[in-house]
Amino acid sequence: MMDSYNLTTDIPEVQQDISYVRYVLVGVFFLPCAIVIFVGNTFVLLAYKRDKRIRKNTTNAYILNLAVADLLVSVVMAIYVPLYFTGTWKFGGAFCVVLCVLDYTATDMSVMTIIAISVDRYVMVQNSLRHRSRQSHKKVAIICSIIWITCLATHSTLAFTYSSRTGFLHDEDRIAACDLGYGKNLVVLVMTFLVEFLVPALCVFALNLTVYFRLKRRTIILQTRQGRCHLSSAVPLDYRASPTTSLENDDMRIHRSASGSQHQKAARFLALLLCVFILCWLPYYINECYAFFYSSSVHTEALTDLVSYIMAYIMWINSAINPILYAFTNVFFKENFKRFLRCK
């Protein structure tokens, strides 16, 4: 009896300590991260609008779409601030469902756009001239619109159907936590893990690996052709002006422009995106799986909620890092970011 009494009296103290930790995390880390996400991705939008050099490249339209998705993440984070401060959701069950739809849609759009950028880079390396002639801003807009509509429709259907079937809108405790309970359903947990993390990570990895080997093989071919050109310089002029040699030189110039430093920088950019994506998203799903298979007791429920908040925060950091990657890997974005920071 004495042990159980001490245990119950210690619970308020533990919860009070966790509340202090929550205040520190929200004030020192969560809010600044939301501000960085908002400012960084706003810089991307402004840079795209003001710089014709950025708009000229159709691939940057995907980066614009990624910035819009990440900007929506910052809005969702700002709405979550009262919940993370107090531990209680006070805006009703319906708005909680809508917010969850926006949350999952924004994060999924960020992931799907990274895949679209990887596919676009793969097609460009495959055939640069055909990609340049067939790709347009209109096509990119159509592709991004389809992805947005698909993600929004999928998560709206899932959230409203799941909440009605589980009685979420009539459960005051779940509404107070703004938790639809996806993590407690094995089918939903596995599907979100596959669609949002595993399949995108494998797709981006496979596409980047293919691009890397193609660029490496193309570099070897260029070096071989350059060696032939040096050898042909010793041949008399009458033999150098053949149509075959002229075609080879033209082809070499085309491939040199298609497989130069621009593609290598893009490959490094995509590799960085993949690494950041894995580091930010993997802890979230590890925690979700742990929480599913080792359901917490009443005494550790507050601690479990706090850990879930931290894992979601780590996942959202991905949206703060993406604009920084633009600044370090794209000269035009870097120039505009410097102007914005200097208020010029």
Side-chain angles (χ1 to χ4, degrees):
M1 291 292 294
M2 183 64 67
D3 293 338
S4 61
Y5 175 77
N6 291 335
L7 183 62
T8 54
T9 55
D10 287 342
I11 291 174
E13 295 181 4
V14 173
Q15 291 179 344
Q16 187 176 12
D17 292 339
I18 290 176
S19 297
Y20 289 144
V21 174
R22 183 190 294 122
Y23 297 152
V24 172
L25 288 174
V26 174
V28 178
F29 297 102
F30 190 82
L31 275 176
C33 180
I35 294 172
V36 169
I37 293 174
F38 183 83
V39 173
N41 288 284
T42 301
F43 280 3
V44 175
L45 300 181
L46 293 176
Y48 188 90
K49 181 180 179 181
R50 74 181 298 275
D51 198 327
K52 294 181 180 179
R53 298 171 299 176
I54 295 177
R55 295 197 303 271
K56 185 177 180 181
N57 189 347
T58 55
T59 302
N60 289 333
Y62 288 112
I63 294 179
L64 176 70
N65 186 73
L66 181 61
V68 172
D70 289 338
L71 197 64
L72 181 59
V73 170
S74 69
V75 175
V76 171
M77 291 178 68
I79 298 175
Y80 272 129
V81 166
L83 171 64
Y84 286 7
F85 256 128
T86 64
T88 304
W89 178 257
K90 301 179 180 180
F91 302 109
F95 187 58
C96 175
V97 175
V98 172
L99 186 62
C100 288
V101 171
L102 295 178
D103 184 4
Y104 278 89
T105 299
T107 50
D108 276 8
M109 276 303 304
S110 182
V111 175
M112 296 304 169
T113 306
I114 292 174
I115 296 177
I117 294 172
S118 301
V119 172
D120 182 78
R121 181 59 53 182
Y122 171 79
V123 174
M124 184 181 296
V125 171
Q126 281 282 89
N127 194 323
S128 180
L129 294 179
R130 181 180 298 178
H131 174 271
R132 193 175 303 172
S133 62
R134 294 185 177 182
Q135 189 65 284
S136 65
H137 288 84
K138 183 178 180 179
K139 288 184 178 181
V140 174
I142 293 174
I143 293 172
C144 293
S145 299
I146 292 174
I147 299 175
W148 273 103
I149 293 172
T150 303
C151 289
L152 189 60
T154 300
H155 286 297
S156 297
T157 303
L158 177 63
F160 284 99
T161 302
Y162 188 82
S163 61
S164 64
R165 290 187 62 181
T166 58
F168 170 78
L169 296 177
H170 304 286
D171 191 334
E172 296 297 332
D173 293 334
R174 290 172 62 193
I175 292 176
C178 192
D179 181 16
L180 294 183
Y182 283 173
K184 299 178 179 64
N185 187 297
L186 182 61
V187 176
V188 177
L189 181 61
V190 171
M191 289 301 297
T192 53
F193 172 74
L194 292 175
V195 174
E196 293 183 346
F197 178 76
L198 185 60
V199 173
L202 291 176
C203 288
V204 175
F205 175 76
L207 289 168
N208 282 320
L209 195 64
T210 304
V211 168
Y212 170 77
F213 282 116
R214 287 190 177 276
L215 289 176
K216 187 176 181 179
R217 186 178 64 179
R218 186 171 294 175
T219 301
I220 295 173
I221 294 174
L222 285 176
Q223 292 174 351
T224 304
R225 289 180 176 176
Q226 287 174 353
R228 291 177 183 175
C229 288
H230 288 304
L231 290 176
S232 65
S233 63
V235 180
L237 285 172
D238 294 337
Y239 294 95
R240 267 190 264 162
S242 64
T244 304
T245 305
S246 178
L247 288 174
E248 287 184 356
N249 290 336
D250 291 340
D251 186 57
M252 185 177 67
R253 285 193 296 270
I254 291 171
H255 285 288
R256 184 184 293 116
S257 64
S259 61
S261 60
Q262 184 179 1
H263 283 310
Q264 294 175 1
K265 289 180 180 179
R268 286 197 296 268
F269 170 69
L270 291 174
L272 284 172
L273 278 179
L274 177 62
C275 293
V276 170
F277 170 71
I278 293 175
L279 291 175
C280 292
W281 283 68
L282 188 57
Y284 173 81
Y285 281 106
I286 291 176
N287 178 70
E288 288 292 305
C289 293
Y290 179 83
F292 177 81
F293 290 106
Y294 301 95
S295 45
S296 60
S297 63
V298 177
H299 308 301
T300 60
E301 184 176 355
L303 180 61
T304 302
D305 292 340
L306 179 62
V307 173
S308 298
Y309 294 158
I310 294 174
M311 293 301 106
Y313 165 73
I314 293 174
M315 180 182 66
W316 284 328
I317 289 178
N318 189 21
S319 298
I321 298 176
N322 285 340
I324 300 175
L325 291 180
Y326 309 148
F328 280 101
T329 56
N330 189 300
V331 177
F332 300 143
F333 276 113
K334 183 186 295 186
E335 290 179 2
N336 284 274
F337 283 12
K338 287 181 178 178
R339 289 193 181 97
F340 296 149
L341 292 174
R342 293 172 182 172
C343 300
K344 289 183 179 181

